[in-house]
Amino acid sequence: FHTLSQNRNWNEEISKDGLVKIKSEVVSAKDASGEDIKIIYYIAEITGDITLDNAEKFLRSSENYIYIWENNELSKEIKRINDNEWIIYLFFDSPWPMPDNDLVHRMRVEKDGEKGLRVQATAEPDAYKRTDAGRMTLYDALFDFEYIGNGKTKLILTVTFSPVGNAPKWMINTWFPEGPAGIVKRLIEKATE
């Protein structure tokens, strides 16, 4: 994640409310079969009133991802590998003109003592049966929490994904900065309820 995020031509913005810093880049590319695709990179950073315990408890529950990802209609655990690793299935009811799609994530939790928590989501498209929805094959996310003191925790969400369908770059760019800002704000809000 950090290698990918360091060598980008970042567009840097701040959410309308001033709470979230966002860096993003949308790249046109070709997939393995030669089809045109878009790859979206973003990093969203926020500091909020959330404990590492609340963040961990919230993100360990596969059903909670419907509250943070946009247009996520279904999120469920499909396989438990061990206490810190599992596989989840997500279904997205995307707005027009994008097609509905789904995603399979391998989730991993790693703690760094009392100061840090990392939850990594890596796409594993073949780990669950296919449906009629298009399957996202690239969607990797890293939730990196660092307790900074006085009840405050910094969250840095780093994401690389390629949406199903080939939306125009201008349309994707309209999602920034408020799309990623909404994700991290919803996560903090829901995890502290």
Side-chain angles (χ1 to χ4, degrees):
F1 279 102
H2 295 293
T3 302
L4 288 174
S5 67
Q6 290 171 0
N7 301 314
R8 305 256 42 100
N9 183 22
W10 292 116
N11 180 33
E12 297 187 27
E13 300 175 88
I14 295 178
S15 61
K16 288 178 187 171
D17 60 12
L19 296 176
V20 187
K21 294 182 213 171
I22 295 99
K23 297 195 303 190
S24 65
E25 183 179 23
V26 179
V27 176
S28 296
K30 300 253 184 215
D31 67 10
S33 63
E35 295 291 318
D36 290 330
I37 62 169
K38 299 290 186 294
I39 301 175
I40 301 165
Y41 301 90
Y42 71 85
I43 299 172
E45 182 180 322
I46 188 171
T47 298
D49 298 322
I50 184 173
T51 66
L52 295 180
D53 286 343
N54 283 350
E56 180 180 358
K57 182 179 177 185
F58 182 81
L59 291 173
R60 281 184 178 274
S61 176
S62 298
E63 292 75 22
N64 285 338
Y65 289 83
I66 63 169
Y67 299 117
I68 56 174
W69 298 125
E70 289 181 335
N71 308 307
N72 187 195
E73 296 286 318
L74 172 67
S75 179
K76 65 179 182 177
E77 181 176 317
I78 55 175
K79 181 179 180 185
R80 175 63 54 169
I81 297 163
N82 59 48
D83 285 347
N84 293 316
E85 195 168 350
W86 67 99
I87 296 178
I88 67 173
Y89 172 81
L90 304 108
F91 175 81
F92 298 89
D93 183 8
S94 299
W96 184 88
M98 300 302 293
D100 291 346
N101 54 81
D102 65 7
L103 169 65
V104 181
H105 263 158
R106 177 180 293 263
M107 306 298 299
R108 290 185 188 94
V109 174
E110 180 183 321
K111 293 170 100 171
D112 183 13
E114 300 296 314
K115 294 281 188 180
L117 169 70
R118 301 180 99 197
V119 179
Q120 185 172 356
T122 306
E124 287 210 8
D126 298 324
Y128 190 62
K129 66 182 184 238
R130 298 274 177 161
T131 68
D132 291 339
R135 172 78 37 102
M136 279 191 271
T137 58
L138 172 61
Y139 200 126
D140 296 338
L142 177 64
F143 300 88
D144 202 350
F145 296 88
E146 179 188 0
Y147 180 70
I148 55 177
N150 296 325
K152 301 282 186 191
T153 298
K154 179 167 65 173
L155 163 60
I156 299 173
L157 172 61
T158 304
V159 177
T160 302
F161 76 102
S162 181
V164 172
N166 195 16
K169 195 172 182 178
W170 66 265
M171 183 182 289
I172 295 169
N173 283 330
T174 64
W175 187 61
F176 293 101
E178 298 308 312
I183 292 167
V184 293
K185 287 190 287 188
R186 284 189 300 274
L187 192 162
I188 288 178
E189 177 186 326
K190 289 292 186 179
T192 55
E193 286 183 346

